[in-house]
Each structure stands twice: as structure tokens, then as C-alpha cells.
Amino acid sequence: MAYYNVSRPSEKLTWRERIYLPELFKGLRITTRHFVVNLALHAVRLLGIKTRRRGAVTFQYPEERRPLSPRLRTRHRLTKREDGMPRCVACMMCETVCPADCIYIVAGELPDPNVEKYPVRFDIDLGVCVFCGFCVEACPEDAIRMDTGILEIASDSREEMIYSIDRLLSG
Amino acid sequence: MAEKVHCTIDGRTVEPRRGQTILQVADELGIYIPRYCYHPGLSIAGNCRICLVSVEKAPKPQIACYTQVQEGMTVWTHNEAAQKARRGVLEFLLVNHPLDCPVCDQAGECWLQDYYMQFGLYTSRLREDKIKKAKAKVLGPAVILDAERCILCTRCVRFCNEIAGTHELEVFQMGAHEELGTYPGVELKNPYSGCVVDICPVGALTDRDFRFKARVWYLSEQKSVCPGCATGCNIRVHFNQKRTHHALGKRVMRLKPRYNPHVNDWWMCDEGRYGYRWIDEGRLLVPQKRRDGTYVDLDWDQALSDVASGLRAVMDKHGPSSVAVLPSPQQTNEALYLVRRLFAEHLGVRHVDFWIPPATQGYHDDFLIKADKNPNSAGARLLGLFPRDGSPAAEEFLLNHGPLKALYVFRHDLLGRYGEEALRPLLGNLELLVYQGTNRNATSRRADYVLPSAAYMEEHGTFVNFKGRVQRLFQCLEPLAQSLPDWKILVRLAVLLGLELGHSGQEEIFLDMAREIPALDGLDYAALGDQGVESDFSGIPLWPKTVNRQRSNVSREQPAHLPRVTNDE
Amino acid sequence: MAEAGIALIKIAVVLGFVLNLAALLTWAERKQSAVIQDRIGANRASVFGLRLFGLFHIAADALKMLTKEDHVPQTAEKFIHGAAPFISFFFALMGFAVIPFGDVLRVGGREIPLRILDLNIGILFIFAAIALEIYGSVLAGWSSGSHYATLGGMRGSVQMFSYEIAWGVSLLGIFMVYDSLDLNRVVLRQGDLLWGVLPKWGIVTQPLGFLLFLAAGMAITKRVPFDLPEGESEIIGYFVEYSGMKFGLFFLTDFVLTILISALLATLFFGGYQLPYLEPDGFRFPWGATWSLDHYTVVFLQFVALVLKIVFFCWLLLAVRWTYPRFRYDQLMDLGWKVLFPLAVANVILTGLVLTLIE
């Protein structure tokens, strides 16, 4: 494994640091510089003058959105087979591996003897989920994915945080 | 004592009896040799070949389950040759075995999985397609077959032939197309059919009752005794408290037999195996009182003080002969002992009888199933909870309208048994009817007070089986809702009726009981252990005395050469 | 009668000024920290789409505070719990009674001193007010019936011991130089010129005293780096069990104290309402130029000068909050007892020596 030599500043404080005051002013200078420069940039841009730098590095969230990484783990969805049935075979691997115990599966039998079982109930309690993605890793059928890109999953009640199989299947 | 031979297993010199097989000797030494087809309760088939060991001077590996030890034999169970042979066998077994462990109900308790993790761990070298066989084929009311997963060890076939004696199963076809099945027109329907699921080492035979209810790794296990009949088969209770939404919050998932050579060996009947639903269904949850035709919930203090003052009022007015108590042979000895202390001895109630004869004679055979469907009739008999001194039996004093004013019923469903009509004179006369039991029934719907008690899985205790074997129940679950173990209810009620029993646990009660009753002399819970103790019942008539000895079609053919090995399969 | 009316008007003007500035500071704190940290800051509250740099957040916050549930814990001492924020707020505001906002205003032959109270021991009055103010947070912490709140209150009181002596002693030099405890007289004497050029402000005569007073003053406001009673990342502090406007009062008290400390810094060390070279009849520059102004203009300019100084110090205190991390508990006491207090005593001795030598 690669490693780096990290040079730490000496534990012993220099005389300049020990009298403290110059260091205080140094800190204050940094914040004040940010304040003045950013305020000036804001003012200039407010007047309609284009500048290379912006006064703030933030995104104005609901209107502006950061591009999501394709690897980002977002809200779960259940995938379907060609015939529209859920791919899930109710093997409960995800339920077993889930560290937050937020997946609730109840298995059922179909009349078709070639289908071992299917999920009668498949609920994810997103209020409890820690978004670790283990369920996706554990799934032997690629039936659960976390690629919806949906991040806004707030709701007004705990019950609404529990996503049933229908909501998960509809993406 | 049989003749001894000298041999060496894995470098350890031992002196087994002549006629023992290598596998049995290794088991006694604590050396584990893998096995599929070998089962200590069945005849030896020697067809799975996983138990191959290398025997010095033998030209090729020998199967440990069928090779008898010889003088001077040197066996290596885990040397390279044996391991290689085992890996080869495992590879052959997996040729046509589907790799659908995630959806297989056996996953987690599958011997194929276990041995693969222990001895296999290779990548498949096979390019051919797997042979398709029947999936989810219903063999009978309790068992379903996935023929693809079957490794043809024939344990189930031998079980049906030798233990159940019903000969339903056979392996058909040849070679790679060999397939387990029932004979034409026959279904696997014998009173012990659930046992084939227990002994199936893989996911071929699965339990239709347990199938897909929960993954086995969510189950917790506790020892208990089946309350289904007077045999008292030792069982393991598998319950699910980790993922309660499986099976809609029901706690008990399945019962499995527990090895006890004195009672049930490795087996149990289907009636007992599937007779656990009442633990989670139709239970009485809260103490209740009937008022104007409906029931209102009470807290325990209120309910017990009401019952106590009711009993006291009746006894003051009409005397103790106007009170009858019906303990149940479904209760533990500990509860029955307190019934005796409180009602028979302290209050002087004379009408005490545990025995309500069933409407019809229950099914029974000469193997495990007894006609007496109560687990503890012998215990109640032992404690003397039956009419003596010429007082009438329960049936008589209930139906022949004795001058009863108060009736305290434990668990018996009187109305369900005799019907409203037959009991009308009695009920019309009663001033107080208390029902203390686990489940709702016709009697609980008629009682003035309903006291919910804990089921046998929810308390410690002891049962005495038909042979007089005292066996221990272990608590698996917390009592449901507000229900309490019978002994706790009785101790609290006794205080209100002027008797300080002072017991704070089941074992204290048992020790008191053991001091009083000669048959239990010197016993305590530690002495009973997991498997119970046969107590000395000489001089005490066991109940019921007349068991119908009619022979059923079930015969038990135990192979004569079979040695007893004390491991739990 | 007229006296009382004038006093009421003065009180109203001072209160209006202080409270409005405090409200503005709640906005300034958020905006200033945002700009320092390359963010935008609160800007969402809008009236008919008009956002006005988030200024409506002041009104939104006030509205929220007023309409929130006023929760009192079951274990609280109900009366004291209710009274504590008012104690804090009241004594914090009381300090402004002796701050001079100008010398005198002459209207219609009447001389109106531009301060609410003309006390010859003005600074002691402020000391007393601030010492009582801490009771608000101590009582709040104790009466909440919560361990965290109690810890916060205890920290508040111990913190007060650690800095108040140094704070008081650091001012002795000022009073030795200006020979008075009356704040107005201190301000008037700062209008003199040293060597005919340099305004004789406190910062010039007492640079060390200024630094000590600034450090101790920051501790009084209970703000970073001395926000141990609050300690929002560890104990939330003495007001953890408060909600609604009672919490709002504590919140506001912090800002009122910030303004009070700023006003004191301006008054004692930066000439108060004095503007360099501005005499009662207009500017007289040291190089001989003059610019005569009428009385009202002078008074107005002086008032504006004081306000600007106060605003500057508010800005400085806010910048300090967003620059330094919180002191540890022992560090605070070390600073108070082992650094500030000896330095303050040394400052007094030095000042005494210099004054004696000059005489």
C-alpha cells in the first residue's frame, strides 16, 4: 500500500506563536480578506459586470443542481422482468445484509412451479435506511438498484417514508 | 459385552466393539466425518459416498458409514486422499444440483452448503447443461419435493419403509435421471411424514407449512416438550423474534423433534409438529370481566381481587362444597401443584378433577401417538387432582346439577365439549364462573371472569408423560400481551385468599412439590436436564388406565443391527 | 413635566436604536459569516418576490419565534424559568443608560444632555448591569431542570469570575489618564489633542488597556471564542430548554451586549462621539484651516460618528466570531487569571509611572 510521509508542524510553538497576538491578527486578516474580496465581487456582479470569480462557491440548490455522479447511491428501485413481474425472488439476501434492518420482505408462492417464490411485500423504510448500498451488492438477481437519482425523499410522516413494492417498482 | 478390537483412527488408538462402523467410532471420538445418507435411526445405505476415509492397506478409500472396524485397522479420516475423494464426490453431487441457494428454503441449514464450504470450494468445471427435473412437486399434505435439488441419499425412502412403515417413497429412473417420487396413486401421507423434511440433508424436501415463512437464520431455538399427547416428545421450538413481519407477527415458526432415546428418538408426529398455531392465534390477551353481555378489560390487580372476593362470598354463603375447580392436564406440574395447595388444601374445595373425557377417542398408534391428547395427565394424577373419598367425577358433578355455585375452570372447554344445552342447569345455578386459560373458546365466552394465562412455550415447567417420565419445558417466549404464567396468577390469587405461598419462580415450586411427593423425591431442574428423568411411580395408578391397544397400520421396523448413537441428527 | 417627557423621548430613541441595530445584527451575522466563508447566506425570505439580500429574514425569524410553542420543561422552576430571559435582556439594555450619544443639545434655551442618565460613576453602573446580566443565564441554566442547561449556567458564572476582574482593572488606566468615572467627561477629554495633532483617544493613551478590554469584552458577550456557556456543539448551553420568544430574548441579549461592548469600546478608547478636530463650533484642523458649522450639524455629525464607530466594532466582534475556534474551559480561565489580569495590573502600574513622570 502506498503511503505518504506527512510532515507535521513541530509540536513546540515558536515564540511568535506563544505570544498569540500576531497569530490572532493573522487569522483575522484571512477572514477579513475573504470578507472584503467576496463583498467586492458580489457588488461588482450585482452591477452586471462579469467577473471570472464568483463571490460564493455555493449552488442555489432548488434552482441549480450539481451533476450527480453515476455511482451516487440514491433512492432504491426494484427492476422488472420483460413480462413486468418484479425481478425480485424474495430471497431476503438484502434484508439479511441490511445493517439498518430497514427492508421488510414477505415471500409468497406462485402456482408456476418454476418460480420458487416472489415478494408479496417488499417495503423499504427510508426513514431508517443508511444508504450503504449493501442491498444492491447482495442482490443475486439485480432486482434492486439505487440509481434513480432521487434525493428528495422527505415526507410529513414516518409512514410515508416506508416505500412499498408498488412505489419501488414504478421507479 | 461385545468383543473388542484394536484400531487407530487419525493416530488415536481406540478399542471399539466389533461390528461398529468407522463412522460410529469416529463420532464417539468427536471426529466428524461428513455424511448424507447415513442416519443413526435408519438402516445403512452407503450410497452418498461423502464419508470416504482412507484405510491403510485398502486399495481405495472406504465409506466410513458401512465399513466395520477390524483388528489392527488404521484409518485416516482427513488425510489428503480422503479429502480429495470427498471433493470428488461433492463435485459429482453438484453436477445437476441447481445453484439457487438464495431462493432455496434449506439455505442456512443445508448440508450441501456446509460441506461445500468445508471441503469443496472449487469452481465448477462443468460445461454441460444441468438436467431438468420436477420442481415444487407436492408429495403429500406436509411435504413438497424439488427433485433437482435431491442428492438421492434415500434417507426419506428408508424412513417411510423402516420407521413409518408406509412405503410411499421410492427412487425411480436410472443414472443421471434418477428421481425421487411416490408410487403411482400414493401420496406421502402418514402420521410422521414431516420427519422426512427433518432428515433431508438438502433442500429437496421442504415443509409446506414452514416454506418461505422465514429464512432459517432469523430463527431462535429453545428446547421444549410437545404438549400434543401423553407421549411428550422432546422438541425444539423455532421462533422468530428478529424479523417479526415475516408470517404477520406470529412468533412460533415451526417445531422440530429433539433427540431423546427414552421417548421419541429423532422423530415426532405431524399432529404435534403442526399443532402450534394456537400459541399465536386466538389467544386471550387481557383479564376481562363480563358485564351486561360484553367483556370489559381489567387490570390484573382488579381482576384477581374481584375473583377472590367472589370466591369468598360464595364460600361464606354456601360452603366449600358449592365450589368446583377443574384443573387441566394441559397445565404444568407446577401450576397443578399450586391448584392443589390453594383450592384442595387451603380452601378445602372437594370438587377437584382434571379429567374431562374427550368426546371421541383420539387417534393413536403403537409408536409415538397416544390417545390421551394431554401432555400431563400423569402429572395431575400424581398430584392427586382427581375425585377421592367417594366424591363424584367431574363429568358427574357438572352434568348432574350438583349444588354448584362457583366454578373455576382451567383451560377446559366445557361448553365446547358438552354443549350449552347439557350445561344449562349448571350454568343457571352458578354465581361465579372463572375461566383461566390460554385461548378463546366457548367457555371463555361464557365466563364471568377471564384470566389469560401463558402457553407452555412461555413458561418454565415440567410435564410427566404416560410412562412417568418427568420432562422439562424451557421458556422460549415472553407471555403474550398481559397473560401471565398460571403459577404467578395462582400465587397472587392465593395471597388475596389468605394463603402466602411465597414462590417467586417455577423451580421453587418444583422443589416444594418434590419434597411432598415421593415419586419426585430428590429431583430438581438440574437433575431433570434436557431429557427428563423416569420417576418411580410404583403404587400410583397412571392415567388413563385403559388405553385402547388397537393396532394401527403403522408398524415400526427397527433394523436389528442398528446401534444406538447418542448424537442428535 | 418637560424633563420627564424629554427623558422618555431619549429612552425611546436609544431603545429604538439599540433594538433595531440588534435585529440588524442577527441578519448581519448570517450574511457576514456567509461572505467570509464564500457562501451567499440567508436570502430566501421574500415579500412579493422581493428578497432584499435576505433582510426579510429578520421579520420572518421574529414571526417564527413569536408563534412557536412556548415549551416549559416539567422539571423546570416555572417562575424563574420564565423570568430569566427578561432578567438578562433587561440588564443588558440598562447599560445603555449612561452611554453618551453627544455632549449637549441646545434647543430653545434649554440644554439637553444627550444621554439618558448623567451619572458621575457611569462606568460602575455598566459594570453592575453586566454583572447582573449574567444572573439571567445562570438562573436560566439552573431553573431548566436539565443537566446541560445547568452546566451552561455554571460555565457562565465561572467565566464571569475569570474575566470580570481583568475587565475592570483594564479600565483603571483610562480613568487614571482622564481622571473621571463619568463617561461623558472621559469622552470630552478625549477631544483634546496630543502634541497638537493626535487626538487624545483611549487607543493612543492606553493601547494595552484596549486589547485587554476587547478580549474581556468578547467574553462578556458570551460569543465565540468565549461561548462556553452556550457551547452549541457540546451542551447547547443554558438556553437549551427554551423555545419561542424566550429563546429569542436570550438570542437578542447576545447582540445587545455586542452593541453595548462596541459602544463602550468606542466611548472609552475611540473618542466616543468625538470626531477628530471637530470642535463645538466646527472643524479646526491643526494646520490652521477651519470650517465653521452650526450647533445642530455638529451634534448630528458627532452622533453619526459614534454610530459608525459602534457599527465598526460590531463588525469586528462578528468577524472575530467567525475567525476563531472556541476556547477550552481551562484555557479560558488561564487566559483570564494568568494573562489578562496580570497584564491589566501591569498596565495600571505603567500608566501610574508614566503619569507621575509627566507631572
Side-chain angles (χ1 to χ4, degrees):
Chain A
M1 208 174 127
Y3 64 92
Y4 301 93
N5 273 325
V6 179
S7 65
R8 290 175 183 282
S10 143
E11 292 289 318
K12 236 175 140 70
L13 298 177
T14 62
W15 176 84
R16 218 179 110 87
E17 285 162 346
R18 278 168 66 80
I19 58 165
Y20 206 60
L21 222 50
E23 296 295 310
L24 284 182
F25 283 120
K26 223 158 107 185
L28 205 55
R29 210 182 70 204
I30 293 171
T31 46
T32 310
R33 193 180 63 223
H34 272 258
F35 180 76
V36 172
V37 169
N38 286 334
L39 202 61
L41 285 169
H42 281 311
V44 166
R45 285 170 80 92
L46 200 67
L47 295 174
I49 301 164
K50 288 263 184 292
T51 52
R52 201 159 49 82
R53 257 181 73 190
R54 294 195 304 148
V57 296
T58 45
F59 284 79
Q60 294 305 296
Y61 162 59
E63 298 92 27
E64 297 172 33
R65 279 157 193 271
R66 293 187 64 148
L68 301 181
S69 157
R71 293 173 44 186
L72 182 73
R73 295 190 292 269
T74 50
R75 210 205 74 196
H76 313 66
R77 73 184 170 97
L78 291 178
T79 54
K80 292 179 186 169
R81 297 171 207 265
E82 289 78 30
D83 61 0
M85 285 289 289
R87 291 186 69 89
C88 175
V89 292
C91 70
M92 305 194 196
M93 294 297 127
C94 50
E95 180 169 341
T96 304
V97 79
C98 179
D101 281 351
C102 69
I103 304 179
Y104 300 90
I105 304 171
V106 173
E109 266 180 286
L110 282 179
D112 180 3
N114 290 314
V115 178
E116 185 78 7
K117 48 181 178 172
Y118 80 106
V120 177
R121 176 184 165 198
F122 191 116
D123 294 352
I124 298 182
D125 189 346
L126 290 174
V128 177
C129 177
V130 294
F131 288 88
C132 64
F134 284 7
C135 47
V136 180
E137 300 288 323
C139 185
E141 294 284 330
D142 191 20
I144 185 166
R145 291 190 186 175
M146 294 178 79
D147 59 356
T148 52
I150 298 172
L151 291 163
E152 291 97 343
I153 40 180
S155 78
D156 291 331
S157 70
R158 282 163 201 242
E159 287 68 38
E160 275 175 60
M161 292 301 284
I162 301 173
Y163 277 57
S164 67
I165 187 162
D166 303 329
R167 282 166 91 185
L168 291 167
L169 274 173
S170 56
Chain B
M1 204 65 210
E3 190 193 340
K4 296 269 185 187
V5 294
H6 299 81
C7 65
T8 312
I9 295 183
D10 285 357
R12 287 157 73 179
T13 311
V14 284
E15 287 186 17
R17 293 184 305 281
R18 183 176 293 282
Q20 274 189 297
T21 64
I22 295 173
L23 194 142
Q24 288 160 4
V25 177
D27 272 350
E28 282 171 17
L29 286 173
I31 298 167
Y32 188 78
I33 298 172
R35 79 280 311 258
Y36 288 123
C37 69
Y38 173 79
H39 188 283
L42 302 171
S43 63
I44 293 168
N47 58 10
C48 76
R49 316 307 283 187
I50 195 76
C51 64
L52 287 170
V53 293
S54 63
V55 176
E56 280 184 14
K57 297 188 188 122
K60 53 185 180 180
Q62 303 290 311
I63 50 171
C65 68
Y66 207 38
T67 311
Q68 296 184 354
V69 285
Q70 305 289 334
E71 183 63 37
M73 193 183 238
T74 306
V75 180
W76 297 96
T77 61
H78 284 80
N79 68 358
E80 208 169 302
Q83 299 274 30
K84 197 175 163 216
R86 244 168 247 163
R87 278 176 66 130
V89 170
L90 208 50
E91 193 166 11
F92 276 128
L93 287 175
L94 285 166
V95 165
N96 285 319
H97 191 97
L99 297 178
D100 59 355
C101 296
V103 292
C104 175
D105 223 34
Q106 187 84 359
E109 51 182 8
C110 172
W111 296 24
L112 207 51
Q113 272 185 337
D114 292 352
Y115 293 161
Y116 177 77
M117 300 313 283
Q118 260 180 291
F119 308 112
L121 288 178
Y122 49 81
T123 44
S124 176
R125 294 186 290 176
L126 291 160
R127 298 286 170 271
E128 293 79 11
D129 288 337
K130 301 199 178 217
I131 292 172
K132 293 280 170 204
K133 292 181 188 171
K135 302 284 279 183
K137 185 173 154 194
V138 175
L139 292 186
V143 183
I144 213 163
L145 167 73
D146 188 315
E148 287 182 355
R149 294 188 192 136
C150 178
I151 58 167
L152 302 161
C153 70
T154 69
R155 272 181 170 196
C156 49
V157 176
R158 280 173 284 145
F159 175 83
C160 290
N161 294 346
E162 297 163 11
I163 307 295
T166 46
H167 308 276
E168 292 113 336
L169 293 176
E170 190 51 272
V171 176
F172 300 95
Q173 309 295 337
M174 288 180 75
H177 295 277
E178 268 193 320
E179 191 173 330
L180 180 74
T182 50
Y183 286 107
V186 178
E187 57 174 347
L188 178 60
K189 190 179 179 182
N190 64 56
Y192 301 94
S193 64
C195 290
V196 300
V197 178
D198 298 341
I199 57 176
C200 181
V202 294
L205 297 176
T206 45
D207 195 326
R208 291 179 77 183
D209 176 64
F210 175 69
R211 213 166 135 85
F212 308 146
K213 267 207 293 202
R215 300 315 306 252
V216 294
W217 49 83
Y218 291 127
L219 302 180
S220 313
E221 181 179 300
Q222 182 56 282
K223 292 169 282 220
S224 194
V225 173
C226 175
C229 76
T231 304
C233 292
N234 289 206
I235 55 170
R236 290 172 289 157
V237 180
H238 284 182
F239 52 99
N240 175 4
Q241 288 184 315
K242 298 190 178 99
R243 307 298 288 159
T244 47
H245 60 279
H246 296 154
L248 305 168
K250 299 204 176 63
R251 299 170 299 169
V252 183
M253 291 284 123
R254 62 178 179 184
L255 306 183
K256 286 272 184 187
R258 178 159 60 92
Y259 175 68
N260 187 339
H262 309 286
V263 184
N264 58 321
D265 290 339
W266 299 267
W267 322 118
M268 74 185 291
C269 69
D270 289 358
E271 199 181 330
R273 184 188 297 267
Y274 304 120
Y276 60 84
R277 286 189 181 74
W278 59 274
I279 300 281
D280 289 315
E281 287 169 15
R283 285 287 294 274
L284 297 168
L285 303 174
V286 200
Q288 284 180 323
K289 169 192 190 168
R290 196 172 63 163
R291 187 186 290 157
D292 308 328
T294 57
Y295 281 93
V296 285
D297 293 355
L298 300 175
D299 60 24
W300 270 108
D301 288 333
Q302 186 64 44
L304 288 174
S305 71
D306 281 7
V307 169
S309 58
L311 277 174
R312 199 173 276 287
V314 170
M315 289 181 58
D316 288 348
K317 217 158 89 188
H318 307 286
S321 63
S322 63
V323 179
V325 177
L326 295 178
S328 160
Q330 297 278 343
Q331 289 176 286
T332 59
N333 290 322
E334 286 74 3
L336 292 173
Y337 172 70
L338 294 189
V339 170
R340 172 171 133 168
R341 284 281 298 272
L342 174 62
F343 289 104
E345 294 170 11
H346 177 67
L347 297 177
V349 175
R350 277 181 64 242
H351 294 299
V352 179
D353 188 5
F354 73 90
W355 186 247
I356 304 290
T360 51
Q361 175 86 320
Y363 174 86
H364 57 96
D365 57 32
D366 59 354
F367 180 31
L368 292 178
I369 305 172
K370 293 283 170 285
D372 178 8
K373 298 298 174 198
N374 296 306
N376 202 23
S377 297
R381 191 81 189 153
L382 186 66
L383 284 159
L385 295 171
F386 51 86
R388 283 176 295 190
D389 317 328
S391 60
E395 195 155 37
E396 200 159 327
F397 65 66
L398 291 175
L399 297 179
N400 298 341
H401 2 121
L404 291 182
K405 293 291 177 197
L407 182 59
Y408 201 120
V409 186
F410 291 91
R411 304 201 187 187
H412 288 293
D413 185 7
L414 292 180
L415 278 106
R417 166 70 181 81
Y418 294 114
E420 178 90 33
E421 195 56 44
L423 291 174
R424 183 158 296 151
L426 171 76
L427 295 172
N429 209 18
L430 281 181
E431 286 172 18
L432 179 66
L433 174 59
V434 182
Y435 178 81
Q436 177 173 334
T438 54
N439 289 57
R440 275 194 296 277
N441 58 29
T443 312
S444 79
R445 277 188 280 271
R446 190 69 170 67
D448 296 318
Y449 289 94
V450 176
L451 306 178
S453 53
Y456 73 103
M457 289 180 189
E458 296 165 347
E459 56 176 330
H460 292 284
T462 53
F463 283 157
V464 183
N465 85 344
F466 74 105
K467 281 196 285 187
R469 189 173 193 84
V470 187
Q471 305 194 94
R472 214 38 185 92
L473 298 169
F474 295 84
Q475 183 176 359
C476 315
L477 305 159
E478 287 300 311
L480 195 63
Q482 286 189 38
S483 63
L484 286 177
D486 280 333
W487 72 270
K488 268 191 194 168
I489 302 172
L490 288 166
V491 166
R492 285 172 70 173
L493 187 63
V495 171
L496 297 169
L497 289 166
L499 173 65
E500 283 288 345
L501 288 165
H503 295 114
S504 61
Q506 290 97 328
E507 181 152 24
E508 281 179 34
I509 304 171
F510 186 83
L511 292 174
D512 271 6
M513 185 163 57
R515 268 193 288 277
E516 253 180 71
I517 295 179
L520 302 175
D521 190 33
L523 290 178
D524 58 24
Y525 276 7
L528 293 178
D530 294 351
Q531 304 207 321
V533 169
E534 201 105 6
S535 55
D536 179 16
F537 272 67
S538 51
I540 300 158
L542 290 181
W543 188 272
K545 277 178 281 187
T546 53
V547 171
N548 192 339
R549 287 284 171 198
Q550 172 205 332
R551 254 195 95 75
S552 68
N553 61 343
V554 178
S555 70
R556 189 174 177 226
E557 298 166 14
Q558 182 80 324
H561 69 276
L562 200 78
R564 288 260 184 252
V565 178
T566 54
N567 65 332
D568 193 352
E569 292 291 309
Chain C
M1 195 58 219
E3 288 295 316
I6 289 166
L8 277 178
I9 291 170
K10 284 195 286 195
I11 290 172
V13 169
V14 171
L15 271 185
F17 166 72
V18 171
L19 291 181
N20 278 311
L21 187 53
L24 271 175
L25 281 184
T26 63
W27 168 82
E29 169 126 292
R30 296 165 76 169
K31 276 310 216 190
Q32 188 180 337
S33 65
V35 174
I36 286 174
Q37 295 171 347
D38 302 351
R39 295 184 284 116
I40 297 226
N43 66 346
R44 289 277 152 183
S46 63
V47 174
F48 303 121
L50 191 66
R51 287 184 169 175
L52 219 66
F53 309 111
L55 264 172
F56 290 122
H57 275 273
I58 300 168
D61 284 348
L63 210 62
K64 183 192 77 173
M65 296 271 194
L66 286 169
T67 52
K68 266 179 94 166
E69 183 195 358
D70 177 28
H71 178 76
V72 181
Q74 275 193 331
T75 47
E77 289 283 330
K78 303 277 181 307
F79 176 73
I80 298 176
H81 184 84
F86 295 96
I87 294 173
S88 259
F89 194 59
F90 175 76
F91 286 113
L93 281 178
M94 218 171 75
F96 286 97
V98 290
I99 301 287
F101 286 82
D103 188 11
V104 284
L105 181 64
R106 285 183 215 86
V107 189
R110 191 189 277 277
E111 285 204 350
I112 303 168
L114 289 178
R115 51 214 163 261
I116 298 170
L117 254 177
D118 230 342
L119 267 185
N120 56 359
I121 50 158
I123 191 66
L124 294 186
F125 181 82
I126 289 184
F127 276 10
I130 282 173
L132 285 170
E133 187 274 333
I134 200 75
Y135 276 91
S137 45
V138 174
L139 286 175
W142 171 77
S143 68
S144 291
S146 153
H147 297 303
Y148 294 110
T150 311
L151 277 176
M154 301 249 298
R155 284 182 181 195
S157 57
V158 176
Q159 179 171 325
M160 186 194 72
F161 290 129
S162 305
Y163 59 70
E164 277 238 325
I165 295 177
W167 195 52
V169 176
S170 70
L171 282 187
L172 283 183
I174 286 283
F175 304 131
M176 287 158 78
V177 172
Y178 300 111
D179 204 16
S180 174
L181 290 177
D182 183 345
L183 286 178
N184 192 40
R185 208 160 298 164
V186 170
V187 174
L188 280 176
R189 288 187 185 155
Q190 290 186 66
D192 299 348
L193 295 180
L194 268 181
W195 306 300
V197 190
L198 207 55
K200 198 182 166 189
W201 285 3
I203 180 77
V204 180
T205 57
Q206 287 285 317
L208 183 58
F210 167 72
L211 283 175
L212 297 175
F213 185 82
L214 181 64
M218 280 189 275
I220 281 173
T221 60
K222 296 194 286 293
R223 289 163 58 81
V224 178
F226 301 105
D227 64 337
L228 293 146
E230 182 180 338
E232 60 184 0
S233 57
E234 38 191 84
I235 57 167
I236 322 295
Y238 56 92
F239 51 61
V240 63
E241 300 294 350
Y242 282 87
S243 61
M245 206 53 213
K246 284 189 199 156
F247 165 77
L249 279 182
F250 277 126
F251 189 66
L252 219 53
T253 305
D254 272 8
F255 288 107
V256 170
L257 280 176
T258 307
I259 300 167
L260 181 62
I261 299 299
S262 303
L264 277 177
L265 282 165
T267 305
L268 293 169
F269 294 98
F270 282 79
Y273 51 78
Q274 298 282 8
L275 213 56
Y277 318 127
L278 181 63
E279 301 287 321
D281 54 352
F283 282 104
R284 273 195 212 149
F285 298 105
W287 52 90
T290 55
W291 182 15
S292 52
L293 298 163
D294 65 8
H295 174 67
Y296 297 111
T297 315
V298 169
V299 169
F300 177 72
L301 277 178
Q302 285 180 333
F303 181 73
V304 169
L306 179 67
V307 168
L308 285 179
K309 287 171 189 173
I310 290 176
V311 168
F312 168 77
F313 279 111
C314 285
W315 173 87
L316 182 71
L317 291 173
L318 258 53
V320 164
R321 184 212 195 294
W322 293 101
T323 303
Y324 305 123
R326 178 164 61 247
F327 276 106
R328 220 167 49 212
Y329 203 49
D330 58 322
Q331 289 171 333
L332 170 90
M333 290 203 280
D334 272 2
L335 188 71
W337 291 112
K338 295 186 189 168
V339 179
L340 295 188
F341 180 55
L343 278 179
V345 172
N347 185 42
V348 171
I349 295 169
L350 200 72
T351 311
L353 275 175
V354 171
L355 285 178
T356 318
L357 283 178
I358 288 171
E359 274 171 25

